[in-house]
Amino acid sequence: MSVSEFQLIQRYFSSLGQSRGDVILGIGDDCALLRPRPEEALAVSIDTLVEGVHFSPGDDPESLGHKALAVNLSDLAACGAEPAWATLAIALPGVNTERLQWLAGFASGFDALARRYGVSLVGGDTTRGALSITVQVHGFVPDALALRRDGAREGDGIYLSGMVGDAALALRRRQGVDIGGGDFSDLEARLHRPEPRLALGSQLRGVATAAIDVSDGLAADLGHILERSGVGATLDLSALPLSPIVAAFVTRHDDWALPLSGGDDYELCFTASNQHRARLAQLGCHRIGRVTAEPGLRCLRPDGEIFAPLVSGYEHFRHD
Ligand code: ADP
Ligand code: MG
């Protein structure tokens, strides 16, 4: 099979996402030339997905294209930023017919999500190597309105934009854990096709005192807000938004670690003062606890007992 690097770029990556007026020069030159907004901060985030670590060889390439961009857009959402541009560095073990099909699927998943949020793919790098995908995203947010991790204050409510534990349960099922019978398509979608909470992120400008997206597990990610803000929290586990299938699993196995430390949820966790409580409920956000002056994270189980979650979450270098 002879397909050159340049043919690959041309065929699969040259026109992904939406074309934008602020792209002076896109793919095909030494640099992309981009016009940032003069009065706003440029928000930048990057994430890598490595085969065997973040995804498996048999995973659907279209979902992977979606997820590689979605996890980055989720970071922009957590900053309250509006996405604009993306770059993509991809390492491929080789090129055969199967790999070309894989690339077509990957590109189509990436393209569909990019178009939905007005993102343009403006550059990247294509090399030979163990399969890995790195996406960087760039967006805009007015400096003073950017959502950060360090602004939570005692008395603030703690909110979640949606359910936690679905992706972790889908992963357990895939690892062979018996989670009972039923239709698992929603659960699988939560793992493979996360939806970045971009609309909510921009609505939280000027409302949330601190925010983060939940990628490594609620306890660990909320822990980052608490640490950076110099505060603690009490969570009411009976207020955690759980899908029926996760709620049943938690009850059956008494396993609160699943929703608290599972990860891959890509919901927003944020804090806000109580004056915004009604508005946040209208936006579909769930109030799950409150910020305390006393440091540390205390979780109250529905039976009134305290549960101490593993706050370390997923840590790549834990076993080194
Ligand atoms: P250079 O050698 O100057 O770095 P490359 O040959 O790596 O340029 O890339 C040629 C053009 O294609 C550049 O504009 C680069 O940004 C773009 N490009 C390369 N790989 C990708 C990719 N995977 N996705 C998007 N654009 C890419
Ligand atoms: Mg290059």
Side-chain angles (χ1 to χ4, degrees):
M1 166 103 10
S2 97
V3 182
S4 75
E5 184 189 324
F6 302 102
Q7 286 170 321
L8 278 185
I9 297 166
Q10 178 61 27
R11 201 184 294 173
Y12 297 104
F13 303 123
S14 62
S15 60
L16 293 196
Q18 189 173 293
S19 55
R20 296 176 58 98
D22 53 13
V23 178
I24 301 160
L25 187 58
I27 290 173
D29 215 300
D30 294 310
C31 292
L33 297 179
L34 308 169
R35 194 177 307 288
R37 291 186 191 159
E39 300 303 328
E40 294 188 21
L42 182 64
V44 179
S45 185
I46 187 166
D47 264 305
T48 296
L49 300 181
V50 176
E51 187 176 68
V53 179
H54 303 92
F55 63 93
S56 311
D59 283 356
D60 170 40
E62 189 173 346
S63 297
L64 205 55
H66 171 102
K67 187 166 180 174
L69 180 58
V71 300
N72 279 280
L73 294 180
S74 177
D75 284 317
L76 289 183
C79 277
E82 177 193 326
W85 312 309
T87 49
L88 165 68
I90 191 162
L92 301 167
V95 179
N96 54 23
T97 315
E98 252 181 14
R99 184 55 67 195
L100 292 183
Q101 261 174 26
W102 185 94
L103 276 170
F106 177 87
S108 119
F110 189 104
D111 182 61
L113 183 64
R115 282 176 195 277
R116 260 205 289 136
Y117 289 108
V119 173
S120 181
L121 183 69
V122 297
D125 196 30
T126 306
T127 60
R128 180 186 288 271
L131 185 57
S132 95
I133 301 153
T134 299
V135 175
Q136 184 168 45
V137 288
H138 313 76
F140 307 119
V141 62
D143 309 17
L145 296 180
L147 309 176
R148 306 159 54 129
R149 297 179 178 182
D150 59 5
R153 288 181 299 244
E154 181 187 1
D156 283 353
I158 299 171
Y159 294 85
L160 258 184
S161 61
M163 294 180 289
V164 286
D166 288 331
L169 191 56
L171 194 61
R172 293 232 192 143
R173 176 170 170 260
R174 161 179 284 246
Q175 289 162 344
V177 175
D178 177 13
I179 67 164
D183 176 4
F184 300 115
S185 51
D186 288 354
L187 217 57
E188 290 286 322
R190 291 300 308 270
L191 177 61
H192 295 296
R193 302 184 70 89
E195 191 59 40
R197 303 302 183 199
L198 284 159
L200 179 66
S202 57
Q203 284 170 304
L204 292 178
R205 291 176 179 180
V207 171
T209 49
I212 192 166
D213 67 319
V214 182
S215 54
D216 296 334
L218 174 60
D221 288 323
L222 173 58
H224 295 313
I225 288 185
L226 302 180
E227 202 174 302
R228 294 287 292 275
S229 302
V231 291
T234 301
L235 288 191
D236 176 5
L237 295 187
S238 63
L240 269 194
L242 303 177
S243 63
I245 191 166
V246 167
F249 186 90
V250 168
T251 306
R252 196 167 348 116
H253 299 273
D254 195 33
D255 185 359
W256 284 100
L258 180 85
L260 288 170
S261 308
D264 250 3
D265 301 296
Y266 298 103
E267 295 295 344
L268 299 184
C269 175
F270 60 94
T271 56
S273 79
N274 289 318
Q275 77 186 95
H276 299 295
R277 197 167 172 162
R279 169 89 187 114
L280 290 169
Q282 269 175 2
L283 288 174
C285 296
H286 305 262
R287 192 177 196 277
I288 59 167
R290 69 189 166 78
V291 177
T292 60
E294 187 193 342
L297 177 61
R298 289 157 300 278
C299 298
L300 269 184
R301 292 166 45 116
D303 60 12
E305 295 289 308
I306 298 272
F307 174 76
L310 182 71
V311 293
S312 53
Y314 189 80
E315 218 280 85
H316 284 273
F317 303 107
R318 185 184 297 161
H319 302 295
D320 290 4

